[in-house]
Structures are given as C-alpha cells and as structure tokens.
C-alpha cells in the first residue's frame, strides 16, 4: 500500500500523533495501522545509540561503536570516496544496532574558529562542505539507513543558539549558508533534514515557511521528512503549517493535541497535516524497506577504515626535513595526550569507542626506543615547573622529542563557544621549553579547531591530527615514521591570531540578534579580500614528496567546463596530491570574493609518475545571487581558472570567456550590468579592510528593516533561562532548573558541569520538555512569571494530577 493510501485511512488524531516523538529517540507508531516507530540516533562521525539513559548532550553512555575522525579532520582528506566509505560503515553499525536514521552529517559553515561545535562541521567553504556532506549521505543511505543532514540554517554559534536570531543578508544566505544544504539535498537525496535551533531573519527555523516550503521543498525538490533539532520546536501550529514534520524529542502529546485541535477548528489546514503525516509515513516505509536489506557489520574492518581516514586526513604544517623519522632514534614522547589522546569532541556526537588506541602504545608497537614525560594535566591543560623540567630533561637526553598538545575537552564542545583561540598555557610553555632543550622537536596537535601558535617557528615539524578518532594513535606514529605519507589539506584557514579573523573578538555575538556583518566574506574569502596573511591558508598541506603541475587546459563540454592538467610526483616516495580548482573573474559588476573553490581532485602517484587530472564544473562555479531580481546570475566576461595546491598557491592558470551570445557558453549567461547605485553605501564590501564591517553598512546591505530586538518581558516559552534573573519569581524558578539538572549532573565531571551551567542559561523554557516536563507545566510557569498566578498554578496542577 502506498503512503497516501495509508494516510487516507487515518483519523485526524492518528495523523497528528505521528508528528511528535514517542520517546527521546523514537517516533510515534501506529501498529494497528501498520506504521512502526522510526529510531533515530546521533552519528556525525560514529553511532551514539543509547539504550539506558537518554540525552542529546553526550552525558549518558552509549553502545560501543567505531569512532571515526570528526568532520573537521575528515574534510582535510579532500576525498569523497573515503568519506562515502566512512558513511557506509556508520550505516552498517546503525543496521547492527537497529537504528533507522542517523542524525548527520552537519554541513553548517565555520563562520569563526571559536564556534564550539566546529569539529562537527566540514569546512568554511560551501562547495567543499556540500561535496563531502553529499558523500557522507550517500554512504550512510547505501546501507538502508537514512541520513538527516543538519542544521538548517544559519546555526553558526553555540552561545544562545536556542533563542538567537541569525540576521543574514540575501547573498550570503544563498551563496554561503544555504549552498551546502542545497547541494546535499539535490545530489544525495537525504531521507531527512534537521532544522536549527535558531531564528533566521526573525523566524525560528522550525517554523520558517520560506525556508522549509519555498526553498527546501519547492526550489530544491526535497521530498523527505523535516525533523526539529531536539527541543527546537517553538509553536506547534506554526511549525506544521511551515513544513515541519516531526517534533523531537518525545513524548509530546501536547504537540499532537494542539495540531489536532487546530485542524478541527480550522486554524490549520487538513492539507498541511496530511502532507506532514505522509512524509512521516514515507520515512517509516523507507526505514522498513531498509531493515529488509541484507547487510554485514564488521567492527574490526571499520576500525581499519577509521585508521585510513585518520591517516589521509592528517595535515603536515611544517617540516624542516626531520620527518619522517628513521625509526632508530631515541624518542622523547611528551604530553599527556600521548597516553590519553583527544580523539573526538564533546556533546551529542560523543561516542563510546569499540576500539581505541593511543600514540604511546603505537610507538611501542613500532619497536621505537621511547621515553615518556607527562608535561601537563590532560584535563585542565595546566603544567608546573616540575612537569616542565622533567619534559625538558627527557628531551635533552633524546635524539628527537615529540610533543603532543592542543585543546582539552573543556575548550570546545556543543553548547558553548570558545572565548579565545589560544591553547592552554601549560601546552604552550611545554612546547617552548622542549624546543629550547632539543632543536629536533616535532609537535603533534590534537583539537577540533584552529589555535593560535606563537611558537610555530620553533619546532622542526608540526603535524596536525585534528580529532582523529579511535585509530588516530597508530595513524600518527605511522606518519611520523614514514609508513604513511601525509596528504591532508586544510579545509579551513588557520589565522595567525584571533584579531586577524573577520569577526575577531566580536564572536560569539552576545546579542540575541546576531548580525552577519561580514556577509559572504567568510574564511579564505575574507583573508583574500582584506589582504590578511594567515598562518596557514585554506587548502594548505605539506608532503614527504613534491609535485609539479603542467599542461593546463580548459574546454567547453555539454552543460559545463572541463579543466585538466598534468600532475607529476617529482620526489622520492609515493604520495597523494589534491589539485584544487578556483575561479576568479577578471571584472566585477558587484562585490565578491577574490576567488572561490569550484572543484578538486586527489591523485596518488608513485615517484616519477604523472597523471592527467580532469575536473568538470557547471554554472555553479560562476554564479552569484542577484539581490535585485532574487535569482542566480552569471555575468558575461573573462574568468581565470586557477590550478592550485592551496588557496594562496597558484600553480597554473587558464582563462575562459563566457559570452551571452549563442554558443559562447555551455550554460545561460547574462550581459554584464553595473550595480553601482548602491556602491557608495556598500563601500566596505567592495573594498574590504580589517575590521571594516560596520552596522550601518550591514543595514544597507540587508536591504530591509532588521528584525526587532526581543524584549525580556512578557515571558514566553521561548524566553531563555537567563532572563529569569530579571524578576524575583524568576530567580526562585532557577531552583527548578537546578532540580531538573541534578539527576544528570551526577554523571558529569566538574568541567562538564561548568559547560552545562553555561548551556542551561541559554536554554528556552520550552526546552524543559526535553527533560520530560509536560509542556503544560512550562506554560503554567510562564503564566506565573507574568503575574497570572491563578491561571499558572491551575495549569500546573492540571498536568500533575
């Protein structure tokens, strides 16, 4: 029986019941109607299936699973096939653990290095994020499991993420923040899309008609289910009318009841309910069909995939020739991360690994003569004179010192943002002391985001592992000893210091209205436009061998352009090179980035071997969003096509002319026309200077009244917990928050408790439903806070009877 037939037999109450979760991870079933529960689980870089104790913040234990490198690491592989293989392994483990839909991947943009959740996201570049996100979705869904791409859209900071309003101009929204979602939806056809917690230009994403109906469904052709982030749904009727299908987590009987009553009263169309119910039943039928497919799940094999992923994602930032090691040296292994590696992030993606190794054990397995010094406390990152002296003494007595350093767990997590881009002082002091004691020092960095590295000229080599998953230890040592030649390229710019970024210390925005003043100038787009020199540019990465580029060519093909060049391994060992293709217009009719990534291809070559690398691009490589006509446009003109080894390292150049006349372009092109009338008001976007994005310029760019600031009073279910402190009653209500958090806090470390306190302050009152509090109790609390004592107490009592 098809989906429409199933839904046609359902009552209004039954249809409405499908739209709310039954529990933390399951949708509501209608067993007598042949509709089973759909089981969700976190899983951006590995499965987090919880059997006992449910949460979406990584507090309670989950079933053992393979912990792959996080997205920030995987993206550095620039390898779609590898990431698809990782996705397939995650899909197999989902099948093994009876999960129907994996909540991932995340393709939000890295707007600032300080976002606490950046380790879960691929890149600062929308083209790369879309390509790799599509690969992950294809892999997961190839095993009969759905992928739920997240978080649509403008979810780019953790501070006040549940109540903040991302105010983004039309061009930046289309070219930067929606672009990766569009590519994943069009190319990979995910079963589900998750909405962000935040507002987008004044409207919560979970009830945004333009975002969910007009763009996601009508423009992009999405036919899957739209799921709220856990606790993100604000208004039941508005969300269903806008196109939200599933409110999670459950139980949320109030949501189903409100939707049913709205349909019966005429405040919500029956068509809207039917459409949502059809999409939920459609998701269930996909899951049912997926469960019937044969599959194999080999966790040992998945550990090998995790090893290859870590090996191919590592980025060699510096090397004066000390690497690879010969294997005969006496090596000082220094830093607590060598024994207790930082291999994954915290929050909803936290995995209990089925396999886990560490660099120290890997050194021993390799038969290398090693000594160990702790260097710092693994949790806090603090050091002491005693620890520093011990490390320096060991380094001085050794042929080579390898220091493991980076960012401890407490520095980055879902739910809060970093305040600074610095490493712990203890890590920095350790690196400096060891480098002074032994000039042959190698630093291995572990962490999910860029760090300031004032010491970076002192070591002989720097190897960036990011958060490399459960097999990162052996991958690290195999790279250091030359068994693996590093081939990773940075998927984000590493600034010299926080001040050099487009946002500087203004991120995270502490106002609820977060103005995206920098518009399209994110990541390398900003560094190029402002003329700021990064520590390491986007796409950068060294190798133990060398490559030459030659014989560039560009030609028209059906529907696009093909660019090719010859790459030769000119060194003495096998290696892999990622050729990056950028496009740069010779002339502009409006402001824009200097150049943009439009394609990439990775080739593995033996010494002396050459290969012809070809990349095909379509109109997306050249288009920009016309805010006057609200459509994509390509200007007639001459474009440089750049073959690069990073965004700053151009090896070869060709040019191509795209004409508006017939036969002059493989896709439609517009005659160039000037957008000069607004140029004076938008001067800071035409001539970008550091710190030059003002509120006045952004208002002119936004082109509409900014969304109004939200008053603290009257209180609503959307009011954050932090607002309660403005009233006497609210301060007493904090005790409710403490009570709700008490049960979970006993499972937490002190650092996690501190993180939870910060997150709790940003939570809207409606989020109490995620802890099992009935929504009616939340409404009663709001009434009391607004002075309506009798009404509020009556509501609460009616819910607890």
């Amino acid at each position: 029986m098809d989906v429409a037939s199933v839904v046609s037999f359902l009552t209004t109450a039954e249809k409405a019941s499908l739209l709310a979760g039954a529990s933390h991870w399951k949708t509501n079933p209608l067993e007598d109607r042949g509709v089973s529960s759909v089981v969700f689980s976190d899983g951006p870089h590995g499965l987090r299936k919880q059997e006992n104790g449910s949460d979406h913040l990584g507090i309670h234990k989950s079933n053992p699973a393979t912990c792959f490198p996080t997205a920030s690491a995987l993206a550095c592989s620039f390898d779609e096939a590898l990431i698809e293989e990782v996705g397939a392994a995650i899909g197999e483990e989902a099948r093994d653990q009876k999960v129907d839909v994996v909540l991932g991947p995340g393709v939000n943009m890295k707007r600032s290095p300080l976002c606490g959740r950046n380790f879960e996201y691929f890149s600062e570049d929308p083209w790369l994020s879309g390509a790799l996100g599509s690969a992950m979705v294809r892999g997961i869904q190839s095993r009969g499991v759905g992928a739920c791409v997240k978080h649509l859209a403008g979810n780019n900071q953790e501070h006040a993420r549940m109540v903040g309003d991302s105010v983004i101009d039309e061009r930046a929204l289309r070219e930067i923040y929606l672009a990766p979602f569009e590519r994943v939806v069009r190319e990979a056809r995910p079963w589900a899309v998750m909405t962000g917690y935040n507002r987008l230009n004044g409207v919560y994403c979970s009830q945004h008609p333009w975002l969910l109906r007009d763009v996601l469904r009508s423009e992009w052709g999405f036919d899957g289910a739209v799921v709220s982030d856990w606790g993100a749904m604000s208004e039941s009727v508005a969300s269903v009318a806008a196109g939200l299908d599933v409110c999670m987590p459950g139980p949320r009987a109030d949501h189903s009841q409100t939707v049913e009553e709205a349909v019966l009263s005429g405040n919500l169309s029956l068509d809207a309910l039917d459409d949502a119910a059809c999409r939920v039943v459609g998701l269930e039928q996909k899951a049912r069909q997926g469960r019937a497919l044969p599959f194999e799940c080999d966790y040992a094999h998945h550990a090998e995939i995790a090893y290859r992923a870590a090996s191919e994602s590592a980025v060699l930032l510096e090397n004066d020739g000390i690497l690879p090691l010969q294997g005969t040296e006496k090596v000082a292994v220094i830093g607590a991360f060598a024994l207790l590696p930082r291999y994954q992030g915290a929050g909803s993606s936290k995995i209990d690994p089925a396999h886990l190794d560490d660099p120290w054990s890997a050194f021993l397995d390799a038969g290398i003569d090693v000594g160990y010094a702790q260097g710092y406390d693994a949790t806090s990152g603090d050091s002491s004179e005693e620890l520093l002296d011990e490390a320096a003494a060991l380094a001085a007595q050794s042929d080579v010192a390898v220091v493991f350093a980076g960012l401890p767990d407490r520095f980055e997590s879902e739910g809060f943002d970093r305040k600074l881009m610095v490493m712990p002082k203890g890590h920095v002091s350790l690196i400096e002391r060891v480098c002074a004691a032994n000039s042959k020092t190698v630093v291995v960095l572990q962490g999910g985001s860029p760090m300031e590295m004032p010491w970076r000229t002192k070591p002989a080599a720097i190897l960036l592992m990011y958060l490399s998953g459960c097999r990162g230890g052996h991958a690290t040592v195999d790279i250091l000893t030359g068994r693996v030649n590093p081939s990773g390229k940075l998927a984000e710019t590493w600034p010299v210091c926080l001040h050099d970024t487009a946002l500087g210390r203004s991120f995270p925005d502490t106002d609820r209205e977060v103005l995206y003043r920098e518009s399209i100038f994110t990541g390398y787009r900003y560094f190029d436009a402002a003329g700021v020199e990064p520590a390491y540019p986007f796409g950068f990465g060294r190798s133990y061998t060398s490559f030459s580029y030659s014989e560039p060519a560009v030609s028209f093909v059906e529907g696009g352009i093909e660019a090719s060049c010859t790459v030769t391994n000119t060194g003495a060992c096998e290696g892999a090179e990622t050729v990056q293709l950028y496009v740069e217009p010779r002339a502009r009719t409006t402001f824009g980035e200097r150049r943009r990534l439009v394609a990439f291809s990775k080739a593995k070559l033996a010494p002396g071997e050459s290969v012809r690398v070809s990349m095909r691009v379509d109109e997306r490589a050249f288009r920009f969003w016309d805010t006057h006509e609200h459509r994509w446009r390509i200007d007639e003109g001459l474009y440089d096509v750049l073959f690069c080894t990073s965004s700053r390292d151009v090896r070869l150049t060709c040019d191509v002319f795209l004409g508006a006349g017939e036969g002059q372009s493989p896709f439609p092109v517009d005659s160039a026309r000037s957008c000069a009338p607004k140029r004076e008001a938008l001067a800071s976007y035409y001539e970008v200077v550091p710190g030059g994005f003002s509120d006045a310029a952004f208002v002119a760019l936004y082109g509409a009244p900014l969304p109004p600031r939200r008053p603290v009073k009257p209180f609503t279910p959307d009011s954050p917990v932090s607002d309660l402190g403005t009233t006497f009653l609210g301060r007493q209500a904090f005790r409710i928050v403490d009570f709700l958090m008490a049960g979970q806090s006993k499972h937490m470390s002190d650092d996690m408790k501190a993180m939870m306190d910060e997150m709790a302050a940003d939570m809207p009152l409606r989020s109490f439903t995620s802890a099992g509090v009935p929504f009616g109790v939340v409404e009663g609390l709001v009434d009391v806070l607004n002075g309506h004592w009798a009404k509020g107490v009556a509501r609460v009592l009616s819910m607890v009877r």
Side-chain angles (χ1 to χ4, degrees):
M1 188 177 291
D2 64 22
V3 169
S5 297
V6 172
V7 173
S8 69
F9 286 104
L10 303 181
T11 66
T12 299
E14 287 173 327
K15 295 172 188 176
S17 73
L18 292 172
L19 310 191
S23 64
H24 202 87
W25 298 115
K26 295 181 180 180
T27 63
N28 262 315
L30 293 172
E31 299 292 356
D32 57 340
R33 300 290 195 175
V35 180
S36 61
S37 288
V38 174
V39 179
F40 296 99
S41 177
D42 285 318
H45 63 274
L47 203 65
R48 196 177 74 91
K49 170 74 180 296
Q50 291 181 316
E51 301 286 0
N52 301 304
S54 298
D55 71 274
H56 60 285
L57 295 172
I59 299 169
H60 295 283
K61 284 284 186 180
S62 56
N63 294 346
T66 304
C67 180
F68 295 94
T70 62
S72 61
L74 283 175
C76 297
S77 72
F78 276 73
D79 191 329
E80 294 170 81
L82 174 65
I83 291 173
E84 188 167 338
E85 191 175 358
V86 169
I90 292 172
E92 290 169 1
E93 296 189 12
R95 292 291 306 282
D96 183 58
Q97 299 190 25
K98 295 180 172 51
V99 168
D100 299 313
V101 177
V102 171
L103 301 177
V107 296
N108 294 101
M109 288 290 92
K110 297 185 179 186
R111 185 174 172 238
S112 164
L114 298 184
C115 176
R117 207 170 182 178
N118 272 356
F119 60 85
E120 277 193 55
Y121 304 139
F122 289 111
S123 179
E124 67 190 24
D125 181 78
W127 180 261
L128 181 59
S129 292
L132 302 185
S134 295
M136 181 69 80
V137 170
R138 288 194 301 269
I140 293 170
Q141 296 190 168
S142 70
R143 298 307 190 258
V145 174
C148 182
V149 64
K150 60 186 186 181
H151 312 83
L152 186 73
N155 187 159
N156 305 107
Q157 72 175 45
E158 291 298 286
H159 175 72
R161 62 176 175 161
M162 293 185 173
V163 294
D165 186 0
S166 298
V167 184
I168 310 175
D169 71 276
E170 193 175 348
R171 266 196 73 187
L173 186 57
R174 289 286 190 166
E175 294 181 22
I176 305 296
Y177 298 101
L178 291 181
F181 289 97
E182 178 180 6
R183 183 169 185 184
V184 173
V185 167
R186 290 185 185 274
E187 293 184 2
R189 314 304 302 175
W191 290 11
V193 168
M194 181 189 290
T195 63
Y197 283 114
N198 55 291
R199 291 182 175 94
L200 176 63
N201 292 333
V203 181
Y204 276 111
C205 293
S206 58
Q207 60 191 53
H208 206 304
W210 176 83
L211 180 66
L212 302 183
R213 281 204 317 250
D214 298 351
V215 175
L216 179 61
R217 296 203 187 279
S218 296
E219 287 187 29
W220 301 349
F222 179 66
D223 59 1
V226 176
V227 182
S228 75
D229 203 340
W230 267 229
M233 199 272 302
S234 174
E235 298 177 38
S236 294
V237 176
S239 67
V240 177
L244 183 75
D245 302 316
V246 184
C247 167
M248 291 298 289
R252 285 297 302 271
D254 61 283
H255 178 65
S256 301
Q257 183 179 350
T258 300
V259 170
E260 179 189 1
E261 291 172 353
V263 171
L264 295 176
S265 67
N267 291 326
L268 179 67
S269 73
L270 181 59
D271 287 345
L273 175 60
D274 284 347
D275 287 346
C278 281
R279 289 190 285 264
V280 177
V281 173
L283 180 65
E284 188 273 344
Q285 289 199 357
K286 289 177 183 176
R288 183 185 297 270
Q289 293 164 4
R291 295 173 201 145
L293 296 175
F295 77 98
E296 296 179 355
C297 184
D298 184 341
Y299 285 83
H301 176 59
H302 295 169
E304 288 306 305
I305 297 173
Y307 166 80
R308 285 195 287 110
S311 300
E312 295 184 33
S313 301
V315 183
L316 184 62
L317 297 178
E318 300 287 352
N319 186 23
D320 70 357
I322 190 174
L323 296 180
L325 303 177
Q326 301 303 305
T328 56
E329 302 93 340
K330 181 178 180 180
V331 178
V333 177
I334 298 171
F337 281 0
L339 270 68
L340 301 169
R342 177 93 195 287
Y343 62 94
Q344 67 171 333
S348 63
S349 66
K350 188 176 181 181
I351 296 160
D352 287 306
H355 307 270
L356 182 61
D357 67 15
D358 59 78
W360 171 253
S361 299
F363 273 116
L364 296 178
D365 290 346
I368 295 173
D369 182 9
V370 289
Y372 172 73
Q374 179 181 338
Y376 52 80
D377 179 81
T379 301
S380 68
D382 296 336
S383 190
S384 65
E385 281 303 312
E386 182 181 1
L387 290 174
L388 295 175
D389 287 344
E390 178 190 22
L394 178 64
Q397 297 164 10
S398 304
D399 298 319
V400 176
V402 180
V403 177
F404 290 83
L407 299 176
D409 270 340
R410 68 187 184 92
F411 273 59
E412 50 185 352
S413 170
E414 176 181 357
F416 71 92
D417 298 302
R418 296 161 67 191
K419 305 300 187 292
L420 297 169
M421 210 176 77
V422 298
M423 297 167 59
K425 290 182 180 178
H427 289 223
V428 174
S429 298
L430 178 66
I431 292 170
E432 292 175 341
R433 287 285 292 274
V434 172
C435 287
N438 189 331
S439 61
K440 294 183 177 180
T441 294
V442 178
V443 173
V444 178
L445 289 176
Q446 299 173 2
S449 305
M451 315 159 208
E452 291 181 9
M453 300 160 59
W455 45 264
R456 66 189 174 96
T457 60
K458 297 179 180 181
I462 304 173
L463 177 64
L464 171 64
M465 294 302 296
Y466 273 106
L467 300 176
S468 55
C470 65
R471 293 300 307 279
H474 278 78
T476 300
V477 172
D478 284 351
I479 291 170
L480 294 176
T481 56
R483 286 190 61 191
V484 173
N485 187 350
S487 61
K489 301 281 190 175
L490 291 176
E492 61 187 320
T493 305
W494 275 53
V496 172
C497 62
L498 180 61
H499 175 75
D500 287 345
T501 64
L503 303 176
R505 293 196 178 189
S506 67
F507 183 96
D509 201 315
T510 55
D511 291 331
R512 302 246 174 89
E513 292 70 36
V514 181
L515 306 185
Y516 282 50
R517 299 173 183 85
E518 74 282 6
S519 184
I520 66 169
F521 295 106
T522 59
Y524 68 87
R525 288 165 165 80
Y526 169 75
F527 281 84
D528 288 349
V532 177
E533 190 69 26
Y536 302 103
F538 175 88
F540 175 84
R542 300 182 188 276
S543 171
Y544 294 155
T545 188
S546 57
F547 302 92
S548 67
Y549 291 44
S550 61
E551 302 173 314
V554 174
S555 60
F556 287 169
V557 294
E558 184 177 356
I561 291 172
E562 185 170 86
S564 61
C565 70
T566 298
V567 179
T568 302
N569 183 343
T570 55
C573 63
E574 181 181 75
E577 171 71 342
T578 298
V579 180
Q580 301 159 44
L581 195 71
Y582 295 78
V583 164
E584 185 173 315
R586 291 278 183 90
R588 301 182 184 279
T589 58
T590 185
F591 67 85
E593 67 277 326
R594 179 182 175 189
R595 62 179 61 132
R596 67 167 70 159
L597 179 73
V598 298
F600 56 89
S601 181
K602 192 170 186 177
K604 192 171 187 178
L605 300 167
E609 183 182 3
S610 295
V611 67
R612 190 73 183 168
V613 174
S614 295
M615 293 164 282
R616 184 170 292 193
V617 299
D618 58 22
E619 73 277 0
R620 292 174 294 179
F622 301 91
R623 71 184 188 180
F624 69 94
W625 186 259
D626 187 329
T627 57
H628 300 283
E629 299 183 7
H630 308 289
R631 68 175 180 88
W632 292 108
R633 184 174 120 204
I634 299 171
D635 275 347
E636 180 180 56
L638 195 62
Y639 293 82
D640 286 323
V641 179
L642 313 174
F643 299 84
C644 303
T645 190
S646 79
S647 64
R648 290 288 180 98
D649 189 349
V650 180
R651 296 298 180 90
L652 301 171
T653 304
C654 286
D655 58 50
V656 60
F657 179 79
L658 301 180
E662 185 175 349
Q664 293 183 305
S665 172
F667 36 75
V669 173
D670 293 285
S671 297
R673 63 178 186 273
S674 174
C675 299
K678 291 187 71 175
R679 183 165 185 143
E680 184 175 344
L682 302 179
S684 59
Y685 297 99
Y686 281 89
E687 299 294 334
V688 176
V689 297
F693 301 121
S694 66
D695 283 357
F698 178 72
V699 169
L701 177 65
Y702 190 67
L706 297 180
R709 289 182 175 271
R710 304 277 166 174
V712 172
K713 301 177 184 178
F715 292 99
T716 74
D718 292 330
S719 297
V721 169
S722 58
D723 280 358
L724 300 186
T726 61
T727 68
F728 172 78
L729 288 175
R731 288 190 289 274
Q732 308 316 305
F734 271 123
R735 297 180 181 180
I736 299 176
V737 179
D738 291 338
F739 173 76
L740 292 173
M741 298 300 294
Q744 294 185 340
S745 64
K746 64 185 179 182
H747 301 285
M748 304 177 195
S749 65
D750 290 342
D751 283 333
M752 183 172 281
K753 287 177 184 177
M755 294 189 303
M756 289 299 298
D757 287 343
E758 186 169 346
M759 286 189 278
D762 290 338
M763 288 169 50
L765 299 179
R766 58 179 155 77
S767 293
F768 293 163
T769 58
S770 297
V773 177
F775 189 69
V777 172
V778 175
E779 291 180 310
L781 173 62
V782 169
D783 287 333
V784 171
L785 290 170
N786 287 325
H788 307 305
W789 280 77
K791 181 180 178 182
V793 171
R795 274 190 175 182
V796 172
L797 290 176
S798 70
M799 298 303 299
V800 298
R801 284 173 184 159

